[in-house]
Amino acid sequence: GDSVTQMEGPVTLSEEAFLTINCTYTATGYPSLFWYVQYPGEGLQLLLKATKADDKGSNKGFEATYRKETTSFHLEKGSVQVSDSAVYFCALLSGNTPLVFGKGTRLSVIA
Amino acid sequence: NAGVMQNPRHLVRRRGQEARLRCSPMKGHSHVYWYRQLPEEGLKFMVYLQKENIIDESGMPKERFSAEFPKEGPSILRIQQVVRGDSAAYFCASSPNWGETQYFGPGTRLLVL
């Protein structure tokens, strides 16, 4: 079945450091790919998405490119802030299956 | 445009009681999804509903759990005779159509004592 694999956390970075959170997927067909962010005690917020190969999703300084050849959708940000501390979830939506999530990666940014 | 609303935000129940979780989708969205998040884990799909219909309940336990989305009013996830293992965060999401981006509510955190 469809699945999403994310790098395990936690990830701890200093403010202004470069962030990469790896995400790879397995799916039949051509899925849409998403990154959601969950701040402490809150629900999931859509961070960005891409619906076809080579699309780049971006929002709030975060970017991810849909790479069909490597089945990846890695999340990147050039300079993280303390306010970016949260759990980040990669997810896919394909065909008739519901959203499939990775296990999440906890990011802590220290000043 | 209000987002997805869920209530209560926190719910405490004793073993054997019933839990009712409510979800009001975003305006204009007729597709509702329920997910469960266990501590330190990702979200697992439970059930997908359209107005008055259950479309996919493949992720929902066969016993004690049920869901509905009536013509009027919110979607309800009902857990009967709760057990400690039901303690989790339950999230609702909605979308305008199947296959489109899902928007999530703030979740209901259920604690079973």
Side-chain angles (χ1 to χ4, degrees):
Chain A
D2 295 350
S3 66
V4 174
T5 303
Q6 283 181 243
M7 65 185 285
E8 291 194 17
V11 174
T12 303
L13 294 174
S14 297
E15 213 166 18
E16 299 184 3
F18 184 86
L19 169 71
T20 300
I21 300 179
N22 289 340
C23 171
T24 57
Y25 66 90
T26 302
T28 54
Y30 302 97
S32 295
L33 301 172
F34 305 84
W35 278 100
Y36 285 87
V37 57
Q38 184 179 31
Y39 297 102
E42 297 186 12
L44 273 69
Q45 298 177 24
L46 178 66
L47 182 59
L48 53 84
K49 67 178 182 179
T51 57
K52 61 182 188 296
D54 299 325
D55 267 3
K56 177 186 282 189
S58 61
N59 185 26
K60 300 181 181 178
F62 291 89
E63 292 184 341
T65 301
Y66 188 139
R67 302 279 188 206
K68 185 168 179 290
E69 62 276 13
T70 54
T71 61
S72 65
F73 193 54
H74 304 323
L75 183 68
E76 296 182 335
K77 186 173 185 183
S79 175
V80 293
Q81 305 300 314
V82 172
S83 57
D84 293 327
S85 298
V87 181
Y88 292 82
F89 292 95
C90 185
L92 71 82
L93 186 62
S94 176
N96 292 322
T97 60
L99 260 180
V100 175
F101 285 89
K103 289 190 174 181
T105 302
R106 183 177 299 278
L107 169 66
S108 294
V109 180
I110 53 178
Chain B
N1 186 12
V4 178
M5 303 184 66
Q6 289 187 249
N7 68 82
R9 294 290 302 274
H10 300 273
L11 183 61
V12 180
R13 286 287 178 266
R14 297 192 181 280
R15 281 179 296 168
Q17 292 185 318
E18 178 180 286
R20 278 184 183 240
L21 288 61
R22 296 175 191 78
C23 168
S24 296
M26 286 179 71
K27 188 176 180 181
H29 289 193
S30 58
H31 298 243
V32 166
Y33 316 80
W34 285 93
Y35 296 83
R36 178 164 62 177
Q37 183 181 34
L38 295 171
E40 302 302 319
E41 292 194 15
L43 278 72
K44 302 290 187 189
F45 167 78
M46 298 182 72
V47 61
Y48 158 42
L49 311 101
Q50 277 185 274
K51 282 287 187 182
E52 301 184 272
N53 291 305
I54 295 175
I55 307 301
D56 181 351
E57 56 183 346
S58 59
M60 198 156 67
K62 295 287 187 285
E63 298 181 353
R64 303 187 298 108
F65 286 71
S66 62
E68 62 177 16
F69 189 15
K71 188 176 180 182
E72 301 291 337
S75 176
I76 306 282
L77 179 67
R78 183 180 176 208
I79 311 172
Q80 294 178 289
Q81 299 175 332
V82 295
V83 300
R84 288 216 175 107
D86 297 332
S87 296
Y90 292 82
F91 290 97
C92 169
S94 72
S95 68
N97 295 292
W98 168 254
E100 297 187 19
T101 301
Q102 296 178 24
Y103 295 89
F104 282 78
T108 295
R109 283 153 180 83
L110 172 65
L111 176 62
V112 179
L113 301 176

